[in-house]
Amino acid sequence: MTAPTANHPAPEPSPSAAPPAPDPYTPPLASLGAAGLASEISAELGSRLRTVRLHGFRHPAAPPPALVAVAHGSRHPGAAPAVRALLARIRALRPGLPVHLGHLELDRPLLTDTLAGLRAPADATGPAGEVGEVGEVVLVPLLFGHGHHVTRDLPAALAAAPHLTGRTAAPLGPHPLLVEALHARLLEAGLPTGPHRGGRPAVVLAAAGSRAARSARDTARTARLLSTRLGGVPVLPAYAHPSPATAPSGDASRRPSPTAAPPTVPEAVRTLVDRGHHPRDIAVAGCFAAPGHFADRCAALAPGPAAAPLGDHPALARLVLHRYDQAISARTGSGAEGIRAATVAV
């Protein structure tokens, strides 16, 4: 038989010729059944769709950075429940946001332990094996001024957690939402909203105190905002403990520091009495998120109404989320990880 060439193509197979044998690795469609046929079709479609780039296709959004609320810590039995209640309200306001708690001292979990536990899960990898953005955090201090805890301790804690990318949010004060919470607690405590029995109400705004001058300025500004919110009622800032000290030998426990912020709560009360306010009309409000030694001391020094700690007041929960959002939107610092340990301005 002559081999086929370009001028002599191979003859067409006759109708009676046997069909080619089926691929032994591909079962006839008739034998697959409905379920098997659907599976084959799905596999083939999946194989083909992997080669198609859809216009406008976007990968699922990365999870949001975790919010780590940083409390000071206290041995007071009411401190931990108050902070947990605040965090529960924050979670209710923003479902799906990872919210964690860390303490600077005296209570657990400590911030260092919380950050050490926030590691990317082993299966949180993308198609190229890259770790997902689950190691990003925002530290939101449950503190009310730019003291050393906010400006030094929190950035240092982030720097000691190299497995995380993060930033430090601004403290909770000064801000109108903080003033809203303070105002509400004062009214709950019985502060009159205007002159009564011939008296004139006044307020001492107590804070923990700090060696940092900026922290004192933050408290003073919060006092001015609160006075405006109260319709002009005098509000004096004060501090829960005497000025931090520095000894001549360098021991930071003896000699008064020039950057400390007077007056104490009793001194502020005396100032208001000297200005003509009756003691029963002088209330004390505290910049404290939870019960504790300082909060109890300030309340005990109030000659009139004593406002409760801010706790889980809705305005405080909204303020924590506001500071978190501010930190997310800010882009401060420099370098490949410029957001690391960057404290966001008010």
Side-chain angles (χ1 to χ4, degrees):
M1 182 175 182
T2 305
T5 66
N7 296 324
H8 299 279
E12 293 286 339
S14 63
S16 59
D23 184 349
Y25 299 102
T26 305
L29 294 181
S31 65
L32 288 175
L37 180 60
S39 177
E40 288 290 320
I41 293 173
S42 297
E44 180 66 17
L45 283 174
S47 175
R48 293 179 181 273
L49 285 174
R50 279 195 292 269
T51 67
V52 176
R53 181 179 297 274
L54 298 178
H55 177 69
F57 173 76
R58 293 182 179 179
H59 290 286
L67 187 161
V68 180
V70 184
H72 183 275
S74 171
R75 296 187 180 93
H76 192 291
V83 174
R84 288 198 297 267
L86 174 61
L87 266 59
R89 189 176 290 276
I90 292 168
R91 293 185 182 103
L93 287 173
R94 190 158 310 174
L97 175 64
V99 178
H100 305 274
L101 172 64
H103 296 90
L104 291 168
E105 58 185 9
L106 301 178
D107 209 347
R108 296 188 180 278
L110 292 173
L111 176 60
T112 52
D113 295 334
T114 297
L115 296 181
L118 292 177
R119 297 183 180 274
D123 59 349
T125 57
E130 297 176 352
V131 177
E133 294 180 323
V134 296
E136 188 176 359
V137 299
V138 174
L139 305 188
V140 182
L142 303 183
L143 306 169
F144 299 90
H146 288 84
H148 293 309
H149 284 318
V150 173
T151 60
R152 296 184 183 180
D153 295 345
L154 269 62
L158 272 179
H163 61 287
L164 296 174
T165 297
R167 63 200 76 165
T168 300
L172 300 183
H175 195 274
L177 284 171
L178 171 58
V179 171
E180 181 180 337
L182 289 167
H183 178 257
R185 292 293 189 238
L186 280 167
L187 296 185
E188 292 169 0
L191 178 73
T193 57
H196 66 108
R197 301 188 306 275
R200 294 183 299 126
V203 174
V204 173
L205 179 65
S210 171
R211 289 192 298 266
R214 186 178 179 187
S215 180
R217 292 196 297 269
D218 289 340
T219 304
R221 184 179 172 196
T222 299
R224 291 193 296 271
L225 292 172
L226 180 59
S227 176
T228 300
R229 181 70 175 81
L230 290 168
V233 168
V235 178
L236 291 186
Y239 302 90
H241 60 80
S243 302
T246 305
S249 62
D251 178 7
S253 62
R254 298 286 187 266
R255 182 162 51 87
S257 166
T259 61
T264 63
V265 172
E267 290 169 345
V269 169
R270 286 196 295 270
T271 297
L272 289 170
V273 170
D274 291 344
R275 294 179 183 178
H277 297 275
H278 193 282
R280 68 166 177 261
D281 298 325
I282 301 173
V284 171
C287 287
F288 303 110
H293 176 67
F294 286 159
D296 285 355
R297 177 190 293 181
C298 292
L301 293 171
L310 301 175
D312 65 339
H313 191 278
L316 194 68
R318 298 200 308 273
L319 178 54
V320 171
L321 288 171
H322 174 67
R323 292 306 196 204
Y324 169 87
D325 291 337
Q326 277 186 318
I328 293 296
S329 62
R331 290 295 181 267
T332 59
S334 60
E337 291 189 359
I339 61 174
R340 168 173 291 281
T343 302
V344 180
V346 177

